[in-house]
Amino acid sequence: MSSRTQSWKRELQVGAVVRQKPGATRWAKHVWKPVAIIPGAPDAFWKELVREGDVVDYHAGTVTMELFRADVEAYLVSLNLTVPSVWVILDQDEANDSPSGWVVSAVTASAYEAQDALDSGENIVEAVPIPATLAAWIKEFIDMHYIEEPFKKRRRDEIRVDGVEDAKGDPRIRQESDVYRAP
């Protein structure tokens, strides 16, 4: 096997740090926002990390971040952002176990997967900066599998279409005029 086919998938345990701030309106008591990730984090569920007044940072959860060779173009998009980022996706907590009402469902390096999660409108999806070591890990995976395809401009076929008489209906039935004309 070549080095290109040895590792088509990579996995890493990643913890998500979510910040709780007071809400700006009377309808929202708190605002929950993913702010960082912890590569190689142990399992945790809404463990308090830092408290500064009304602002609290939690290790909200640890999930497996997966890289697939079919998605390397999407990883390249994430690394080429102004601030290279990964995406933390929070789903509503159906079991009501978390203090926020949210659970970490995924951490992804794919900008396309994050866009899909945003389209539903039911999740919290935030880009967080990638630590340099994790960016290098993702870049190495991209370098192993990315094949740039050159742009090819399509050309029209050189088939003459002006000799064909279209819109005359069934050729077996005699017609005086175009059957699709306006009355």
Side-chain angles (χ1 to χ4, degrees):
M1 270 166 68
S2 71
S3 64
R4 171 165 261 135
T5 59
Q6 283 178 354
S7 175
W8 290 5
K9 177 182 172 183
R10 280 194 181 170
E11 295 181 345
L12 178 68
Q13 291 294 105
V14 179
V17 177
V18 177
R19 180 168 290 153
Q20 172 198 356
K21 296 187 328 186
T25 68
R26 63 181 175 190
W27 293 279
K29 279 185 166 181
H30 304 289
V31 175
W32 302 91
K33 181 179 178 183
V35 293
I37 58 167
I38 308 166
D43 284 340
F45 187 75
W46 291 97
K47 179 182 176 187
E48 188 175 317
L49 297 175
V50 178
R51 180 180 292 268
E52 292 180 3
D54 291 340
V55 178
V56 183
D57 286 352
Y58 291 95
H59 180 178
T62 301
V63 293
T64 302
M65 185 172 84
E66 298 176 318
L67 302 179
F68 299 97
R69 75 178 182 127
D71 296 333
V72 293
E73 184 180 336
Y75 307 147
L76 200 55
V77 169
S78 293
L79 286 181
N80 288 330
L81 293 172
T82 305
V83 176
S85 302
V86 293
W87 308 85
V88 177
I89 302 171
L90 302 178
D91 286 341
Q92 291 183 352
D93 183 11
E94 302 294 330
N96 292 324
D97 292 334
S98 72
S100 65
W102 298 96
V103 292
V104 179
S105 65
V107 174
T108 181
S110 170
Y112 302 161
E113 185 179 346
Q115 181 63 47
D116 290 344
L118 275 171
D119 287 344
S120 75
E122 296 179 0
N123 308 349
I124 294 176
V125 181
E126 288 289 334
V128 298
I130 302 177
T133 55
L134 185 58
W137 183 72
I138 295 169
K139 180 73 170 112
E140 178 189 26
F141 186 79
I142 291 170
D143 291 343
M144 275 176 46
H145 298 291
Y146 183 67
I147 300 170
E148 187 170 353
E149 295 181 24
F151 176 75
K152 293 180 185 173
K153 184 171 182 175
R154 282 188 349 186
R155 293 180 175 227
R156 288 182 183 250
D157 293 334
E158 297 296 329
I159 298 172
R160 290 193 50 119
V161 294
D162 57 347
V164 177
E165 196 171 328
D166 287 335
K168 287 289 187 178
D170 190 338
R172 297 170 293 178
I173 300 172
R174 258 172 119 176
Q175 302 280 334
E176 291 293 322
S177 64
D178 186 356
V179 294
Y180 298 109
R181 75 183 189 290

